[in-house]
Structure formats: structure tokens, C-alpha cells
Amino acid sequence: MSHVTTIDIEVRDLDALSAACDRLRLRLDRDVKTFRNFMGRQSPCDHTITVIGAEETAYQIGVVKLQDRPGFTLQWDSWNGGKGLVAVVGENCSRLKQEYAAVITRRELQRQGCQVSERRLANSQIVVTGRRA
Amino acid sequence: MKEVQVTIDANGKVTVGVTGAVGNSCLTLTRDLERALGASGSEHRELKPEFHQRGQEGGQNAAQR
């Protein structure tokens, strides 16, 4: 191993975020400007993520453009498990971020000409491997 | 054969490891990936002995940092 890098990811790519949503049975609706949260309140956002099959019950995620740099922040209400949202996306949206990182990684390694494989470990880690001559 | 192994833990933390690449080519291989993932100074890079030992180029670059 010649080097190891540890990264805190930041959501910057809506296409990749949409693909990550597909992996978790979520739907990214672009340019939907409010997301539903506590007591039916609608809060402002730039795009919305909805749990497929629980459109009327689960809280939504608001995807909000960062003001100071390219990218987005995710906003949601986790009260009472977000009425089913947290079970899908994980605490702190960890599962959604994990899937987003996997999508980005696969795409970037393929772009570099790597042969790419992906596996999921029992400890919930996703391992993406790229090989090239 | 160069191999990049990316491990994404349950919290979305990403660890990138490279084998079979020496010196600066090793870093080049992962730089675009780190950018795409949103690395913005929050990343931590640990150079392994292979980085320094097998490539003159790598040793020089490491020294420059």
C-alpha cells in the first residue's frame, strides 16, 4: 500500500445523489423548493428527497445549495425517526452519504479506465475496487 | 497492475488505499477521486513506505511537501 487517504465527503453532484437515492428506494425531485418536516411544516430548499412508498408519511430531506462554495447540504427532521425517514437513510443520513460516495467512486474509477467491482461487508462497509494496468 | 481500494464506512467516511503505484503516480491516481468526493482540506493522507522506497520521483515529491 503506497498511501491511504481518509475523506469526509461533501455532496456536489446531483446526478450521483439521484443514483444514490435509487439505491435506497428514495427519489430526488429537482427544483422542488420545500420539504416536509415536523407537523407538516414546509421548509425551503433547492431540491427534495422523498421515501418511495411513504410519500405521505415519512418526512422529506431538503437539499440546499451551499452559499460559500459549490455543493449542497442535506437538511431533515429526525424527530420520531423522521416518521420512517431515518430507517431508510440512516442516522445523520449516513446510509445516503455512503451510497453517494459509492456512486461517485465507481464513476470516477471507470472514468480513469479501471475495471471496477463493488462488495458489501457484514460490518456495513462498502468496498469499491478499481484495477488497471 | 495498479489497484485502488476505496472503503466507505457506515458513516460515509471514505478511506482510499492504493497499491502497485509508486511515487507521484500514486497520488495522481487518487487526486481526482478525492476531488469528486468533495475533499476540501478535510482529508488526511498517510504515505506508506512503498511510496518513498520504490520511486525517486516519489521521494522528491514527498520532501517538497
Side-chain angles (χ1 to χ4, degrees):
Chain A
M1 186 76 64
S2 47
H3 84 268
V4 173
T5 304
T6 306
I7 304 166
D8 287 320
I9 67 161
E10 187 169 274
V11 175
R12 291 183 183 167
D13 186 314
L14 282 182
D15 290 336
L17 183 61
S18 181
C21 286
D22 290 344
R23 288 173 165 224
L24 293 175
R25 294 190 55 75
L26 299 165
R27 185 182 69 241
L28 173 69
D29 292 312
R30 299 180 192 231
D31 300 318
V32 175
K33 299 298 184 183
T34 62
F35 69 102
R36 187 180 62 256
N37 50 83
F38 182 67
M39 298 289 282
R41 192 175 68 189
Q42 299 284 329
S43 297
C45 61
D46 295 290
H47 315 284
T48 301
I49 293 173
T50 302
V51 179
I52 295 172
E55 288 86 348
E56 303 303 320
T57 52
Y59 293 164
Q60 295 173 306
I61 297 172
V63 183
V64 180
K65 281 181 190 167
L66 295 172
Q67 297 300 310
D68 59 339
R69 61 187 185 278
F72 301 90
T73 185
L74 304 179
Q75 298 182 359
W76 68 96
D77 189 336
S78 61
W79 182 82
N80 199 17
K83 300 281 188 98
L85 173 66
V86 174
V88 177
V89 302
E91 296 286 343
N92 297 316
C93 272
S94 55
R95 288 188 66 205
L96 179 56
K97 292 175 184 173
Q98 186 185 35
E99 298 295 345
Y100 172 84
V103 169
I104 288 281
T105 298
R106 287 187 68 99
R107 195 178 65 183
E108 183 57 32
L109 292 179
Q110 284 168 345
R111 191 187 67 78
Q112 292 187 21
C114 291
Q115 195 167 18
V116 178
S117 62
E118 178 176 334
R119 58 199 165 98
R120 289 164 191 267
L121 307 184
N123 63 5
S124 300
Q125 289 181 332
I126 298 175
V127 179
V128 181
T129 304
R131 294 183 182 87
R132 77 175 193 201
Chain B
M1 178 72 76
K2 296 169 185 169
E3 180 175 298
V4 181
Q5 182 167 295
V6 181
T7 303
I8 308 155
D9 73 15
N11 295 315
K13 178 80 78 178
V14 179
T15 304
V16 182
V18 180
T19 54
V22 295
N24 204 36
S25 68
C26 169
L27 298 178
T28 303
L29 203 58
T30 60
R31 186 183 51 214
D32 288 347
L33 175 61
E34 292 166 14
R35 279 197 193 125
L37 286 167
S40 56
S42 59
E43 71 273 20
H44 168 72
R45 182 175 294 122
E46 179 185 349
L47 302 178
K48 300 296 186 181
E50 181 183 338
F51 180 95
H52 301 289
Q53 290 173 356
R54 289 202 197 161
Q56 182 80 14
E57 180 192 4
Q60 288 170 345
N61 285 326
Q64 286 166 7
R65 277 189 300 275

